[in-house]
Amino acid sequence: MKRIGVVAPGSRLEAAAPDAVRAIAAELYAAQAPDIVFHPQCFLEDGHFAGPDAARAAAFLDYANDPAFDAVWFARGGYGACRMADAALDGLKPAAREKLYLGYSDAGVLLAGLDRAGCRVAHGPMATDFKRANGAAAITRALRFLVEGAADTLEPSTQGVAAVAFNITILSTLIGTRFEPNLKGRVLMLEDVGEYLYRIDRELFHILSSPCGRAAAGVRLGRVSEIIPNDPPFALGEEEIARHWCAKAGVAYLGRADIGHDSENKVVLFSG
Amino acid sequence: MKRIGVVAPGSRLEAAAPDAVRAIAAELYAAQAPDIVFHPQCFLEDGHFAGPDAARAAAFLDYANDPAFDAVWFARGGYGACRMADAALDGLKPAAREKLYLGYSDAGVLLAGLDRAGCRVAHGPMATDFKRANGAAAITRALRFLVEGAADTLEPSTQGVAAVAFNITILSTLIGTRFEPNLKGRVLMLEDVGEYLYRIDRELFHILSSPCGRAAAGVRLGRVSEIIPNDPPFALGEEEIARHWCAKAGVAYLGRADIGHDSENKVVLFSG
């Protein structure tokens, strides 16, 4: 039986998440359901965060370094992973390199750092997604990926292709730091939510003006949802923006990716 | 008589700006008022921008490379300098290195690039500031700096101290690109407007986790105004945030700077 540990590197997880997630796991797997262990830290409250920086780092390391867990599943994004990421990475022990990590959005800081540290990481649904419209589909996908490695949970264009995925705003704030991913030979998939298009434009300028972004084997654009209206209107759409900066950087724009802040968010297993 | 050229690298300038600015100059200097030339490009309209990227770059180079101008004064921030900055920097001719450049906010992309190119640049009021409450004070300060180099227009703590100044969000999006400033031996002054505190926190993580930010001789925090309320409240204030990331980076936090998106915004002449 697989054992999955859930920790919250940023914002606090909703109290209803464990029951909702376990009910979906029971329906999927009955007696073979994985053991999903929610670290008590997920429910701590410290201002904006699920507990103080040190508590979030310690909870992550509790589970990452415990050989009894097969996977660490991030509970939720929000904000805060960058505040505990140095301590999280500096505390990794050998057992941490033998498990799988799954999350997206703000948790991308840890995906990037864990990828650089040689761990197996994937961009995909988190426990908090239970509350989305059709959220059970997202939780089912995450569990089938974590438990079975089911191929149909993966973003379809990643078949046989080295790829990584990030939130645009998060990746922009990793450029030039120890968390900056090595994109050489990998397709970069990008998504975002709740931003002005002018900010998406500025962040793609940033990513694709840096040696980091320019090393990518290509860019695919996931969903850019809940765009905040601009005054005056931005005129360019999200895909025109991506094409513009890709062309300027000499990086191939490869089309759309089936990822985003929604229940359709497919899994991108970092590879290459 | 000094000759000042005004161009708009990002958003369009208000049509009322030339009359308002020239009236202030006439009151200050009467017959000795500087010749303030607003490039027609300032009033172009192309979606979000003051004309297409190529038009904004060409207007900048018209004035930057013209030995008849003593200074290039940026009209307004908004958004768009990063879209024309490569062309602007690649087109610089020797005359561009013999003048002064003044602006802030989005225009910080050009301040950073021009500073790296060996030009004299300063962070301070722009023509658009005429419309702020007490905006005449900001315009008067800009003109007295550009025309006379008046010492009392300068941010007081910069006396005898090598310093630079940037908008926090703009500097974050320059890290790891050709526009990234060299902060070695210089005090970094930072300001911002209209952001969530969690974003200020994330951007200071970024700046102070990069070799760029860690090279700074110290950090001073200007005003962080019009903060967007956070849910839940962010708990930490702007100065606690700055102290946190400075301490983590081993960079001295030196206190407040008298800069910001307001009419009190003092001039920081880049030095060191």
Side-chain angles (χ1 to χ4, degrees):
Chain A
M1 195 175 71
K2 295 272 183 166
R3 199 147 186 259
I4 299 167
V6 184
V7 297
S11 295
R12 193 165 71 257
L13 184 61
E14 297 80 3
D19 284 353
V21 166
R22 287 189 186 116
I24 295 166
E27 195 163 315
L28 267 176
Y29 297 109
Q32 279 73 49
D35 190 11
I36 306 172
V37 187
F38 289 82
H39 198 293
Q41 171 272 322
C42 292
F43 310 103
L44 293 181
E45 180 170 350
D46 185 55
H48 197 88
F49 308 108
D53 297 347
R56 303 197 311 284
F60 168 79
L61 290 170
D62 274 356
Y63 285 6
N65 289 333
D66 183 345
F69 285 104
D70 300 288
V72 170
W73 191 20
F74 296 117
R76 188 182 163 194
Y79 174 65
C82 71
R83 286 190 149 254
M84 51 67 86
D86 273 321
L89 291 185
D90 292 343
L92 292 179
K93 296 199 172 134
R97 291 188 173 76
E98 282 158 35
K99 54 176 59 72
L100 190 53
Y101 301 83
L102 178 64
Y104 70 109
S105 197
D106 185 65
V109 181
L110 290 170
L111 299 185
L114 291 163
D115 176 59
R116 282 189 69 147
C119 298
R120 286 171 63 223
V121 311
H123 182 278
M126 298 183 288
T128 188
D129 287 319
F130 83 92
K131 66 177 197 280
R132 291 192 186 279
N134 203 22
I139 300 299
T140 299
R141 188 176 313 113
L143 293 174
R144 292 187 61 242
F145 171 72
L146 290 171
V147 173
E148 312 164 46
D152 64 349
T153 63
L154 301 176
E155 205 285 336
S157 76
T158 60
Q159 202 175 4
V161 169
V164 302
F166 288 101
N167 176 273
I168 294 171
T169 303
I170 297 298
L171 180 57
S172 168
T173 56
L174 303 181
I175 302 292
T177 72
R178 67 180 285 198
F179 306 101
E180 177 187 288
N182 179 359
L183 300 181
K184 196 165 154 42
R186 302 162 121 183
V187 171
L188 173 62
M189 299 185 161
L190 293 168
E191 62 82 43
D192 217 319
V193 65
E195 296 286 348
Y196 293 97
L197 280 176
Y198 85 87
R199 294 191 86 122
I200 296 295
D201 194 64
R202 187 161 62 195
E203 289 162 356
L204 289 183
F205 147 76
H206 184 209
I207 293 166
L208 286 159
S209 296
S210 72
C212 169
R214 291 191 171 182
V219 164
R220 280 188 181 271
L221 190 63
R223 285 173 290 283
V224 179
S225 50
E226 298 172 36
I227 291 165
I228 305 172
N230 218 75
D231 181 24
F234 193 68
L236 302 173
E238 69 220 39
E239 212 171 2
E240 282 171 280
I241 291 171
R243 284 183 194 279
H244 172 84
W245 292 112
C246 282
K248 201 155 182 303
V251 172
Y253 177 71
L254 302 171
R256 303 305 300 237
D258 190 8
I259 62 170
H261 271 67
D262 52 50
S263 63
E264 290 303 303
N265 188 22
K266 301 303 185 293
V267 176
V268 177
L269 179 61
F270 284 27
S271 55
Chain B
M1 194 176 70
K2 294 272 183 167
R3 199 147 186 260
I4 299 167
V6 183
V7 297
S11 296
R12 195 165 69 257
L13 183 62
E14 298 80 4
D19 284 353
V21 165
R22 288 190 186 117
I24 294 165
E27 194 163 317
L28 267 176
Y29 297 110
Q32 278 73 50
D35 189 11
I36 307 173
V37 186
F38 290 82
H39 198 293
Q41 172 272 322
C42 292
F43 310 102
L44 293 181
E45 180 171 350
D46 186 55
H48 196 87
F49 308 109
D53 297 346
R56 302 198 309 285
F60 168 78
L61 290 170
D62 274 355
Y63 286 7
N65 289 332
D66 183 345
F69 285 103
D70 299 289
V72 171
W73 191 20
F74 297 116
R76 188 181 163 194
Y79 174 65
C82 71
R83 286 191 148 251
M84 51 68 85
D86 273 321
L89 290 185
D90 293 343
L92 292 178
K93 296 201 171 132
R97 291 186 173 77
E98 282 157 35
K99 55 175 59 72
L100 190 53
Y101 300 84
L102 177 65
Y104 70 110
S105 196
D106 185 65
V109 180
L110 290 170
L111 299 185
L114 290 163
D115 175 59
R116 282 189 69 148
C119 298
R120 286 171 64 222
V121 311
H123 181 279
M126 297 184 289
T128 189
D129 287 320
F130 83 92
K131 66 179 197 278
R132 292 192 186 279
N134 203 24
I139 300 299
T140 298
R141 187 177 313 113
L143 292 174
R144 292 187 60 243
F145 171 71
L146 290 171
V147 173
E148 312 163 45
D152 65 350
T153 63
L154 300 176
E155 204 284 337
S157 76
T158 61
Q159 203 176 3
V161 170
V164 301
F166 288 101
N167 176 273
I168 294 171
T169 303
I170 296 298
L171 180 57
S172 169
T173 56
L174 303 181
I175 302 292
T177 73
R178 68 180 284 198
F179 306 101
E180 177 186 289
N182 179 359
L183 300 182
K184 195 164 153 47
R186 301 162 119 182
V187 171
L188 173 60
M189 299 185 161
L190 293 168
E191 62 81 43
D192 217 320
V193 66
E195 296 287 346
Y196 293 97
L197 280 176
Y198 85 86
R199 295 191 85 123
I200 296 295
D201 193 64
R202 186 160 63 195
E203 289 161 355
L204 289 183
F205 148 77
H206 184 208
I207 293 165
L208 286 159
S209 295
S210 72
C212 170
R214 291 190 172 183
V219 165
R220 280 188 182 269
L221 190 63
R223 284 173 291 282
V224 178
S225 50
E226 298 173 35
I227 291 165
I228 305 174
N230 217 76
D231 178 25
F234 193 68
L236 302 173
E238 68 221 41
E239 210 171 5
E240 280 172 282
I241 291 170
R243 285 183 193 279
H244 172 84
W245 292 111
C246 282
K248 201 155 181 302
V251 172
Y253 177 70
L254 303 170
R256 303 306 298 240
D258 189 8
I259 62 171
H261 271 67
D262 51 48
S263 63
E264 290 303 304
N265 188 23
K266 302 303 187 293
V267 175
V268 178
L269 178 62
F270 285 28
S271 54

